[in-house]
Structures are given as structure tokens and as C-alpha cells.
Amino acid sequence: MDKYEAFEKLKEFSQDLSDVSYDEIVDLLKNGIKFIPVPLAKVQKNAHIDRVRPNKGSVLYEHIDNLGYIKEQEVIDKHLLSFGRANCPHQVMFYGALESTLIDKQRLTAIAETSDLFRENKDCPDGKYYTVSRWKTNDEFLVVEVVFSEYALENNPDIRASFEKQKRFLLDKGLEEKEIRFHLDFLKFISEEFSKKVTNADDYKISAAYTNIILLHPETSGITYPSVQTQYFGVNIVLTPEAVDKYLMPLVCSTQIVYKNGEKTVIANGGHFCDNIDITNKIEWKEQDESLLTNKDEILKHLYS
């Protein structure tokens, strides 16, 4: 089976992944397609990444470790049971959001991706608490761009620019037209796998397999891909725990409350923040000035107007 036949088989698999094993997909990628395109991009020093975790009611998290990647082995063993967009069962990854031209407040992307209110289109007029943590990069590092889905190319100028950059790179390599077309078609296919709306965790098998293969690249620390929940306007980032420990430092965190009624949403200040995180101690939460909090009547007026 050559790589063109393997690619067609992979596309066939993608129609229904429930009866396709993860190992079959990995074998097809590694031994069928073999030379997988790895479109590298650089995350700059001092870039900001926002990460979100849902709260249990309004209870505040005690330590920054609760807001980073999962470290508790019991949680990993008992709760990380299914595939994620860039992880296998029991595999820990750090999911966050980057600033983009169309969404300059990346916490909005992170909330939209994390909240079940958006994923499952649920209402919550009483509000649901989330904690946003901001992390700063202490050095530049490389990630793989998986941002070339057709809809994203049409709607996000950042993604279009990245696609054109990768296209120029392939042209500069002196590849034949057939090879260039294969690389671009493969990247678009993988991007569709990362950006598709799923019905069950099996639908993540291809994106998880691709992630784990490209992370074997010695210079790669993670992946960026378009945010489905923001109609591809936002950009997500996934990093390995090792990359987080090496390149990220937590800066600040705050609580947010998401109110939702149908298509109307309000994201309000949750009333608590920490502007100086000490990774060796508990989070020292401060209360927000009441003048900065949104009046509940105004929230309800917006939701039901």
C-alpha cells in the first residue's frame, strides 16, 4: 500500500471510527503514509495562554496545580477514560487558548471550549462558575499547526496566513506538484479531524493518533488547532506536561460566571482574582471591587430581552 492508498483508507476510516482501533490508525499513519507532514510554527516568548477549569459550584480552587495539567494519579486512572481531541485515554495534556486576530481575549475561546453549556447547547440562567488562569511563555518553542480546515481558511485570516506560509515552504522544498497537493490535502484532512464536531469520543482517534506521532518530533512541544466552539475564530493550543513545566509560568487567575439562555450569553466577573501566583503556596484570592461586578438584573434583562 502506497501513501496515496493509505490516505484514502484513512479517509474511509474517518467516516465511522467506532469499529476502527487506535492501533490500526497509528499503523496506517506510520507505515502507510509514512512521511507525515509536520507544519511547524513558533510560539513567541512572553506569549499568553489562557486555560479554564469549571468550578464545583462557587468553591474556589486552592492551588495553581489544580488549574494546570492533571497530576493526581487517581484522577488520571479513574476519570481520563476516553479519547480527547489530542490525547488517548489516561494521557495527560494541557489544553489552552491563544490570542487571535478575531478573538483578542483568549479566555473567551478557552471558556467556550471548556464549558458544557456551549458543547451541549445547554441553558444556565442562574450562572455557572469557571476559573481562568493565564500562563506566560518564558521562551520561544515550536508547535505543529493543524489549522487548515476549509471553513477556518475562509473565516480566519490568521489561519489563511499560516496555510499560505506552509504552502510557500513546500514550494521552496522543490517538491513536485503531486507531492505538494498530497501534503496540502493531508493537512486539510487532519485539520478537519481536529475541528469537527464529534458525537462520541471515538471520533477523536485520528486526531489523537496524529498528535502522538508528531510529538515524537524532537523539537515539537504541542499543537495548535482552530476552536470549533467559536466558529474557528479562536485558536487552541495543546502542550505536553513536559513543555508546560519547561516553558510556562502562571501569572494570574480569576473567576468568571457564564449565564446562558438560548443563543444569548453573558460572561461576567466571578468576584475573585489572584494577581500574584506563588507556585509554592496556596492561591491568595482577593475579592473584586463590587463596582466591577455586573448587576444580576442587567444580566437577566439581557438574557430575556
Side-chain angles (χ1 to χ4, degrees):
M1 181 185 298
D2 64 22
K3 64 182 179 181
Y4 302 102
E5 294 170 326
F7 187 23
E8 290 303 315
K9 188 66 175 178
L10 187 63
K11 288 190 282 188
E12 180 185 323
F13 279 167
S14 70
Q15 300 305 307
D16 183 4
L17 290 164
S18 58
D19 293 326
V20 181
S21 74
Y22 174 80
D23 290 339
E24 284 182 276
I25 295 168
V26 170
D27 180 67
L28 196 59
L29 288 169
K30 293 179 71 174
N31 301 316
I33 295 175
K34 296 181 182 178
F35 298 105
I36 296 175
V38 180
L40 294 174
K42 188 177 293 183
V43 176
Q44 299 293 336
K45 181 179 180 179
N46 296 324
H48 289 162
I49 299 171
D50 284 4
R51 176 173 165 83
V52 168
R53 287 205 63 190
N55 290 61
K56 294 180 179 179
S58 59
V59 178
L60 299 173
Y61 286 104
E62 292 188 353
H63 197 277
I64 189 61
D65 280 351
N66 303 134
L67 302 178
Y69 64 82
I70 299 171
K71 296 181 179 179
E72 300 88 347
Q73 192 60 48
E74 183 177 0
V75 175
I76 296 170
D77 293 339
K78 293 184 178 180
H79 297 286
L80 293 186
L81 303 178
S82 59
F83 288 95
R85 210 170 285 273
N87 65 274
C88 295
H90 308 297
Q91 182 181 20
V92 177
M93 290 289 193
F94 177 98
Y95 286 80
L98 291 165
E99 178 183 343
S100 69
T101 299
L102 298 175
I103 299 182
D104 60 355
K105 295 178 175 58
Q106 55 266 52
R107 69 176 181 276
L108 301 180
T109 301
I111 289 172
E113 286 288 335
T114 304
S115 174
D116 60 342
L117 302 182
F118 299 100
R119 289 198 315 273
E120 301 173 18
N121 196 27
K122 298 193 297 188
D123 290 343
C124 188
D126 294 327
K128 188 169 184 178
Y129 276 81
Y130 295 86
T131 298
V132 180
S133 54
R134 171 157 290 183
W135 305 68
K136 185 174 76 170
T137 59
N138 57 31
D139 201 353
E140 62 183 29
F141 56 88
L142 294 176
V143 294
V144 173
E145 291 185 308
V146 190
V147 292
F148 308 119
S149 65
E150 289 291 350
Y151 188 88
L153 288 171
E154 293 174 3
N155 289 275
N156 191 318
D158 296 343
I159 290 172
R160 169 55 67 179
S162 294
F163 180 75
E164 293 300 329
K165 180 189 71 177
Q166 296 300 333
K167 190 174 180 180
R168 287 194 301 272
F169 174 77
L170 291 172
L171 290 171
D172 291 343
K173 295 282 285 186
L175 298 177
E176 295 180 359
E177 181 63 31
K178 185 179 180 181
E179 285 294 300
I180 292 174
R181 177 48 49 196
F182 173 81
H183 277 69
L184 294 178
D185 286 347
F186 180 82
L187 290 175
K188 285 183 178 181
F189 169 78
I190 289 296
S191 295
E192 297 292 348
E193 289 299 304
F194 269 87
S195 60
K196 70 182 181 181
K197 294 186 177 182
V198 304
T199 56
N200 63 72
D202 285 334
D203 292 337
Y204 290 134
K205 287 178 182 175
I206 291 177
S207 59
Y210 178 81
T211 298
N212 279 282
I213 290 173
I214 62 94
L215 285 177
L216 296 174
H217 189 293
E219 297 181 4
T220 302
S221 296
I223 284 181
T224 60
Y225 62 95
S227 163
V228 177
Q229 299 301 330
T230 63
Q231 301 300 310
Y232 311 98
F233 292 166
V235 175
N236 295 314
I237 185 169
V238 181
L239 297 173
T240 64
E242 294 78 13
V244 173
D245 292 343
K246 183 176 181 179
Y247 294 115
L248 300 192
M249 180 63 67
L251 290 181
V252 296
C253 56
S254 64
T255 55
Q256 307 279 305
I257 309 175
V258 178
Y259 301 88
K260 189 171 180 292
N261 180 46
E263 296 299 315
K264 295 185 177 181
T265 301
V266 175
I267 300 178
N269 195 313
H272 292 86
F273 71 99
C274 175
D275 55 4
N276 186 22
I277 295 176
D278 181 350
I279 61 174
T280 64
N281 290 309
K282 291 183 177 181
I283 297 173
E284 294 185 3
W285 290 104
K286 301 176 184 179
E287 292 188 4
Q288 291 278 13
D289 189 302
E290 288 193 9
S291 65
L292 300 176
L293 304 182
T294 307
N295 183 278
K296 187 63 179 292
D297 290 337
E298 289 297 318
I299 292 171
L300 294 176
K301 181 179 178 181
H302 175 80
L303 291 178
Y304 293 99
S305 60

